[in-house]
């Protein structure tokens, strides 16, 4: 039986096939109803494809619901290519983002889904209501209106290639569900996310499936993850938070810097800046990378000026005016400076050591809190395995990828959702168009 995107003659997808029954063939199955999968399903559905969206969790969009501290930082207000990281081609990345400019993504949420958005001082964009359910419900309603069939609470355990790929009338993929039921598909969008926060349903299935299909998957690692300090003494500052600029160095070479809020935890460092910079020390081969902090974001010249202006006041007295008390005690100890001494009486070396502790304070890292708390997964399916224009696997016609499962991560601040929205839409549109073309092409042979 020839299966076309609009075919209404197939059995309903909800009559899932048991292994012994005739198999249902779905034109497009999207695996994973997270940010990327919801967009892929929605845009494919709107483009006329019959879409089944399968999701492990009983409720789709689990990560959207907990994101942004429970408020969903849905987008950044500005984005540059430099805000994203991949081992693949930056040109490829540029082309994917060019397909749906940020202003249009924002208009999609505001005008198409009808979710009012607000931009905060940090440049992050949130729903005006601070309620992530508006985003999830908006997407689910739009999917339903586009005819997408959602099947939540069903986990795919295997994805296999079947049939002869050149025959337009044959399904190309077989999905096996937990419990053994099978489903056949003409095309598949794999949008299963990474390994981070596995309780939201992303347990690395996409990486395993891609490897099993012979695709290259870069080593994965927790990114945007709280860090564990190599020096337990920082743990005494647990709960202290302040503004900071953190820089990452490989030797003398500065790799990156990030400024904003920073939080000491019992085991180390967290808060937006620590998370943002974490990938430099959690990625494979990052052993040589050193993080240093400039407290309050002041550079050495600024701290030097403040210390020199202190005159007859004590070191601790001046520093406590701008820095938390417990941090002052720690920095003075680190610098081996006499905290009670008048600033004017510090030796040049003591002042130099103090300035270093204030403007370039080493944050030695012994590890990270892992996928349990990481916001995203670095590494993943190599970008050069996909055709940039469609996000279809070069070697497997009909298989598309979107979102975190690919080797792309963004800074903290809405960039990871931006990637998920843009790549999801792109994969969905491309899959729907290819199905249309396949339906009109005469069967080969
Ligand atoms: C605590 C936290 C807060 C975050 N806050 C923000 C933020 O404010 N802004 C931002 O930009 N980013 C944020 N992120 C990152 C962002 O959530 C992710 O980058 C984004 O959700 C990735 O989208 P995705 O669709 O690729 O993957 P996911 O959102 O992980 O979705 C993948 C989906 O696939 C499903 N799935 C997986 N395997 C299977 C299977 N075998 N069968 C069926 N279904 C399957 C999963 O259940 C899941 O629903 C946050 C992440 C975390 C963990």
């Amino acid at each position: 039986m020839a299966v076309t995107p609009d075919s209404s003659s197939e059995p309903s997808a909800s009559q899932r096939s048991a292994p012994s029954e005739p198999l249902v063939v779905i034109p497009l199955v999207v695996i994973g109803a997270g940010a990327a999968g919801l967009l892929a399903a929605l845009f494919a559905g709107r483009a006329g494809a019959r879409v089944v969206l399968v999701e492990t969790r009983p409720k789709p969009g689990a990560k959207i619901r907990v994101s942004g501290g429970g408020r969903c930082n849905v987008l950044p207000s500005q984005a540059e290519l430099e805000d994203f990281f991949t081992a693949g081609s930056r040109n490829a990345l540029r082309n994917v983002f060019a397909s749906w400019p940020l202003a249009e993504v924002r208009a999609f949420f505001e005008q198409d889904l009808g979710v009012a958005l607000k931009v905060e001082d940090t440049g992050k964009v949130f729903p005006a209501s601070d309620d992530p359910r508006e985003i999830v419900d908006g997407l689910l309603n739009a999917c339903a209106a586009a005819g997408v069939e959602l099947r939540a609470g069903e986990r795919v355990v295997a994805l296999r290639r079947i049939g002869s790929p050149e025959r337009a009338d044959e399904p190309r993929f077989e999905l096996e569900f937990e419990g053994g039921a099978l489903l056949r598909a003409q095309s598949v969008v794999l949008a299963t996310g990474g390994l981070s926060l596995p309780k939201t349903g992303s347990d690395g299935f996409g990486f395993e499936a891609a490897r099993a299909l012979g695709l290259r998957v870069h080593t994965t690692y927790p990114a945007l993850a709280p860090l564990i300090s190599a020096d337990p003494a920082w743990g005494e500052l647990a709960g202290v938070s302040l503004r900071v600029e953190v820089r990452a160095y490989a030797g003398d070479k500065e790799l990156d810097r990030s400024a904003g809020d920073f939080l000491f935890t019992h085991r180390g460092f967290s808060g937006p800046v620590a998370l943002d910079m974490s990938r430099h020390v959690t990625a494979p081969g990052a052993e040589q990378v050193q993080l240093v902090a400039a407290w309050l974001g002041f550079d050495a010249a600024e701290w030097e000026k403040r210390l020199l202006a202190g005159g007859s006041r004590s070191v601790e007295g001046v520093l406590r005016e701008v820095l938390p008390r417990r941090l002052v005690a720690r920095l003075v100890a680190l610098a081996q400076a006499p905290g009670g001494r008048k600033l004017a009486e510090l030796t040049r070396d003591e002042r130099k050591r103090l300035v270093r502790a204030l403007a370039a304070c080493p944050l030695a890292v012994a590890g990270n809190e892992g996928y349990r708390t990481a916001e995203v997964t670095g590494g993943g399916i190599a970008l050069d395995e996909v055709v940039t224009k469609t996000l279809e696997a070069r070697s497997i016609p009909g298989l598309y990828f979107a979102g975190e499962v690919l080797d792309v991560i963004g800074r903290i601040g809405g960039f990871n959702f931006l990637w998920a929205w843009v790549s999801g839409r792109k994969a969905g549109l491309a899959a729907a168009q290819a199905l249309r073309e396949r339906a009109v092409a005469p069967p080969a042979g």
Side-chain angles (χ1 to χ4, degrees):
M1 177 182 70
V3 179
T4 67
D6 323 294
S7 173
S8 52
S9 57
E10 305 111 8
S12 150
S14 54
Q15 302 159 358
R16 203 159 39 116
S17 309
S20 56
E21 292 170 355
L23 289 169
V24 177
V25 179
I26 305 298
L28 176 61
V29 175
V30 177
I31 310 178
L38 283 162
L39 269 269
L42 170 58
F43 280 92
R46 284 184 176 177
R50 180 169 165 221
V51 186
V52 168
L53 172 60
V54 296
E55 166 57 44
T56 304
R57 305 283 305 155
K59 276 185 166 183
K63 215 167 266 173
I64 303 173
R65 295 173 199 271
V66 299
S67 65
R71 300 193 298 131
C72 185
N73 173 198
V74 61
L75 284 173
S77 53
Q78 290 184 348
E80 306 291 336
L81 203 57
E82 290 64 39
D83 295 315
F84 298 89
F85 312 99
T86 175
S89 148
R90 298 202 69 74
N91 250 340
L93 207 53
R94 180 180 293 111
N95 291 339
V96 177
F97 280 116
S99 69
W100 207 22
L102 177 58
E104 288 178 27
V105 185
R106 192 165 160 185
F108 163 76
F109 283 101
E110 293 186 306
Q111 288 155 32
D112 195 331
L113 297 191
V115 179
L117 299 177
K118 62 177 174 188
V119 185
E120 300 200 337
D121 295 346
T122 51
K124 297 177 180 178
V125 180
F126 292 86
S129 62
D130 285 330
D131 187 350
R133 283 175 304 186
E134 276 203 65
I135 302 285
V136 181
D137 292 348
L139 289 171
L140 287 174
N141 290 338
C143 278
V148 173
E149 183 185 339
L150 172 67
R151 296 171 51 182
E154 307 207 358
R155 178 162 187 268
V156 178
V157 293
L159 172 63
R160 291 184 279 270
R161 291 181 82 180
I162 53 167
S164 14
E166 66 280 2
R167 287 201 53 129
D169 55 345
E170 285 195 11
R172 296 182 284 194
F173 300 97
E174 184 171 80
L175 289 82
E176 183 178 333
F177 289 84
E178 219 157 45
L182 301 172
L183 192 68
R184 288 185 163 182
Q186 294 268 24
S187 297
V188 167
V189 176
L190 195 66
T192 44
L195 283 153
S196 34
L197 204 67
K199 68 175 182 190
T200 58
S202 48
D203 60 3
F205 168 76
F207 303 136
E208 282 167 37
R211 279 196 194 97
L213 290 166
L215 302 179
R216 201 152 57 91
V217 180
H218 290 301
T219 306
T220 54
Y221 58 93
L224 300 187
L227 296 171
I228 298 171
S229 167
D231 179 353
W234 287 118
E236 289 161 23
L237 275 71
V240 169
S241 69
L242 75 161
R243 209 159 41 77
V244 71
E245 181 180 81
V246 172
R247 300 188 296 275
Y249 289 95
D252 288 341
K253 185 174 176 233
E254 184 181 321
L255 303 174
D256 192 12
R257 59 174 66 193
S258 176
D261 293 333
F262 182 93
L263 171 71
F264 288 98
T265 65
H266 288 286
R267 286 166 36 110
F269 318 121
S270 189
V273 170
L275 298 190
D276 204 20
M277 295 300 281
S278 64
R279 70 188 174 84
H280 291 291
V281 287
T282 58
E287 295 76 18
Q288 305 306 320
V289 176
Q290 167 88 65
L291 299 182
V292 298
W295 306 110
L296 302 179
F298 296 164
D299 63 10
E302 173 68 27
W303 278 117
E304 176 99 29
K305 196 173 79 187
R306 285 171 179 256
L307 296 183
L308 287 171
S312 60
R313 300 173 56 215
S314 76
V315 171
E316 285 175 340
V318 166
L319 293 181
R320 280 179 194 158
E321 278 181 6
V322 287
L323 290 173
R325 220 181 159 82
R326 276 188 284 163
L327 178 60
V328 170
R330 172 89 178 112
L331 295 178
V332 163
L334 261 183
Q336 295 173 303
R341 195 180 302 161
K342 290 179 183 165
L343 277 158
E345 291 170 5
L346 283 186
T347 65
R348 199 163 163 271
D349 273 358
E350 284 167 342
R351 203 174 60 244
K352 255 175 93 176
R353 290 201 302 271
L354 200 52
V355 167
R356 181 162 188 268
L358 289 161
C361 183
L363 299 176
V365 169
N368 66 81
E369 297 287 359
Y371 293 116
R372 191 181 53 83
T373 51
E375 291 201 0
V376 288
T377 303
I381 298 170
L383 260 196
D384 53 15
E385 292 283 9
V386 301
V387 180
T388 313
K389 227 175 141 187
T390 55
L391 297 181
E392 185 179 25
R394 289 181 194 280
S395 56
I396 308 180
L399 179 61
Y400 301 79
F401 301 99
E404 201 176 316
V405 76
L406 281 163
D407 168 35
V408 178
I409 55 171
R411 278 193 181 287
I412 204 160
F415 297 94
N416 286 291
F417 275 141
L418 177 59
W419 167 248
W421 311 131
V422 172
S423 60
R425 171 182 175 274
K426 192 171 198 37
L429 285 175
Q433 180 173 342
L435 280 169
R436 273 200 308 274
E437 288 164 5
R438 204 167 141 80
V440 294

